[in-house]
Amino acid sequence: MSNDLNDRTGDGITIVAEPDDGIVIVEEADSVGEYVARWWRSIRSGNLGSLPILVGLVIIGIVFGILEDTFLTSRNFTNLILQASATATIAIGAVFVLLIAQIDLSVAYVSAVGSVVTVLLLRPGDPGWPWWAAIAAGVALSTAIGLLHGMIITKAGVPSFVVTLAGLLSWQGVVLILTTQFSTAGTIVIQDSVVVGIANDFLADWLGWLLAIVIVGGFAAQELFKARARRSRGLDMKPTAVIAAQVVGLGAVAFAAVAFVNVDRGVPVAAVLLIFFLLFWSFVATRTRFGRHVYAVGGNPEAARRAGIDVDRIRVYVFMIAGFMAGVGGIVLASRLRSVATNTGGGELLLEVIAAAVIGGTSLFGGNGKVVSALLGALVIASVKNGMDLMGLNAGTKFVITGLVLLLAVLVDALSKRGRAARGLA
């Protein structure tokens, strides 16, 4: 097959072969009706995408809104964003790990090591590093830990479950050693106003509106660019009416969210940081060769290897991404708590991070999912926890409900994969 050959099959699917990129399957859509019909057939075949999680968020909002009056207030909505920000930031790295059909059980304590080192370097006088250098050092260390894990997994052939389980125990010990050595109470307070402000400062109202305009405008520009590129290559593009509807829908959500949080304190700085990383890593995952290789390795590593992809290198890079985002998320979490302690990285953080990635729609079987899954799943986790806290439910009930939500997400993923396999699409 030549590099520029378009093979139009009889079932409305265009197959395009591109240099070094493998085969890309492009759905034709000559009209809005055909586009919607094809989308519905995709849903029925098991390609659910983010649909279940969006429906779940609506249901959660309705249920807790009825059961607890304060759940849908602007102040609680702002708190939800803050609660989800750190989890979602760390979960971005977990999404990449799951995309290559691996697991990282150490991510919570890797985030803790990065945040503890950052806070220790910020101590006034000794050593008294500037905030930017301390943050860079903490994130560099967590990235190096990801590199170490990836090298052991690929070079020694040890399963990621075993390596990261050992990492969970080891890095937990490092956190205990560092925090108890430099504080008899086991808690180290952050004394740098910039680092504290990461999760405790908010944008002015006009900056919040500007952020919404940039997000919606950027999305519209991206969709129009994609449509123009497809047209220039002689491919059918997404109907203009569909693009317009998506832009209007995103605009409605973005502007409504900004208006709601501006009633309270405004858009949190932590949310801006999260949006930046969501956009950046989404671009990496969907618009770069590295991203395509990640999906290829997760879908079928042997086929990817035969296609010339350095599978081991991709895996190492992915664990480095997980370490990097763990470091960033750990600093956001420490900023929100204004301190680090012996229990940093413990508790339910690991469960919430992995659950956020899975609940958001990332497949446990590899090769299927989006970076935005981290945000959607984190919003579900934060909403359920927040609603249960407002209702005063006991810890046991919270664990049971959270576990059932996670189980439901895994069942949806498994049934979706079975549906695609039955139709020869998996």
Side-chain angles (χ1 to χ4, degrees):
M1 184 180 290
S2 63
N3 287 341
D4 58 353
L5 177 63
N6 291 347
D7 180 18
R8 296 181 180 273
T9 62
D11 58 358
I13 294 180
T14 301
I15 301 179
V16 183
E18 298 182 345
D20 302 323
D21 292 338
I23 295 178
V24 180
I25 299 180
V26 181
E27 297 286 352
E28 296 181 6
D30 298 326
S31 67
V32 174
E34 290 181 2
Y35 181 87
V36 173
R38 194 161 288 110
W39 172 80
W40 179 245
R41 287 200 297 271
S42 177
I43 294 295
R44 293 182 60 186
S45 69
N47 293 318
L48 301 179
S50 300
L51 183 61
I53 194 67
L54 294 175
V55 173
L57 280 171
V58 172
I59 294 174
I60 290 170
I62 293 174
V63 171
F64 283 119
I66 294 173
L67 297 177
E68 181 53 54
D69 293 339
T70 59
F71 183 78
L72 295 179
T73 62
S74 59
R75 185 166 190 82
N76 193 58
F77 182 68
T78 305
N79 289 337
L80 276 176
I81 296 175
L82 287 171
Q83 291 168 14
S85 292
T87 302
T89 302
I90 301 174
I92 290 174
V95 167
F96 274 91
V97 173
L98 292 177
L99 283 176
I100 61 170
Q102 302 291 321
I103 191 71
D104 189 347
L105 299 178
S106 67
V107 67
Y109 281 110
V110 172
S111 74
V113 171
S115 62
V116 169
V117 168
T118 299
V119 174
L120 288 176
L121 293 175
L122 286 170
R123 288 177 301 145
D126 182 23
W129 285 29
W131 64 268
W132 56 268
I135 289 177
V139 173
L141 177 58
S142 64
T143 306
I145 293 174
L147 171 62
L148 175 63
H149 290 171
M151 293 297 290
I152 295 174
I153 292 167
T154 57
K155 302 306 179 183
V158 182
S160 59
F161 179 90
V162 177
V163 173
T164 58
L165 178 60
L168 181 152
L169 298 173
S170 300
W171 303 122
Q172 180 182 13
V174 171
V175 171
L176 287 171
I177 292 171
L178 291 175
T179 51
T180 54
Q181 181 176 351
F182 292 95
S183 173
T184 55
T187 300
I188 305 172
V189 178
I190 301 175
Q191 301 183 47
D192 186 275
S193 59
V194 175
V195 176
V196 171
I198 291 174
N200 292 282
D201 286 348
F202 302 85
L203 299 183
D205 289 358
W206 69 271
L207 281 175
W209 292 117
L210 179 61
L211 177 65
I213 292 172
V214 170
I215 291 174
V216 177
F219 176 77
Q222 174 188 328
E223 290 299 311
L224 292 174
F225 176 80
K226 286 166 58 177
R228 180 179 178 181
R230 290 177 61 80
R231 186 188 295 113
S232 67
R233 295 166 61 188
L235 301 175
D236 293 315
M237 64 179 187
K238 185 184 299 183
T240 304
V242 173
I243 296 176
Q246 291 177 332
V247 172
V248 170
L250 176 62
V253 172
F255 288 113
V258 170
F260 206 42
V261 296
N262 280 349
V263 173
D264 184 41
R265 289 158 286 177
V267 177
V269 172
V272 180
L273 186 67
L274 172 60
I275 291 171
F276 168 78
F277 281 113
L278 282 172
L279 294 176
F280 174 77
W281 289 116
S282 293
F283 176 83
V284 170
T286 60
R287 312 297 292 180
T288 67
R289 179 174 297 182
F290 170 77
R292 292 191 290 273
H293 288 180
V294 168
Y295 282 97
V297 170
N300 190 326
E302 184 56 34
R305 183 177 288 106
R306 292 180 179 180
I309 297 174
D310 191 334
V311 174
D312 286 350
R313 180 179 296 180
I314 294 296
R315 286 172 175 165
V316 170
Y317 285 164
V318 164
F319 276 94
M320 289 178 67
I321 292 172
F324 175 83
M325 293 310 301
V328 175
I331 293 171
V332 173
L333 183 60
S335 172
R336 179 166 169 257
L337 300 176
R338 299 173 181 264
S339 65
V340 292
T342 54
N343 63 346
T344 298
E348 303 170 22
L349 182 59
L350 174 61
L351 165 66
E352 292 174 1
V353 168
I354 301 298
V358 175
I359 291 173
T362 306
S363 175
L364 287 169
F365 304 102
N368 189 23
K370 297 180 179 180
V371 174
V372 74
S373 301
L375 174 61
L376 296 176
L379 286 174
V380 169
I381 294 293
S383 298
V384 171
K385 285 187 61 179
N386 180 273
M388 293 189 296
D389 288 339
L390 292 175
M391 293 178 62
L393 299 181
N394 60 56
T397 303
K398 293 178 185 178
F399 278 122
V400 170
I401 294 177
T402 304
L404 290 175
V405 171
L406 177 58
L407 177 61
L408 179 61
V410 175
L411 286 174
V412 169
D413 178 38
L415 293 175
S416 173
K417 182 176 178 63
R418 181 180 298 178
R420 294 194 301 270
R423 291 169 174 81
L425 300 176

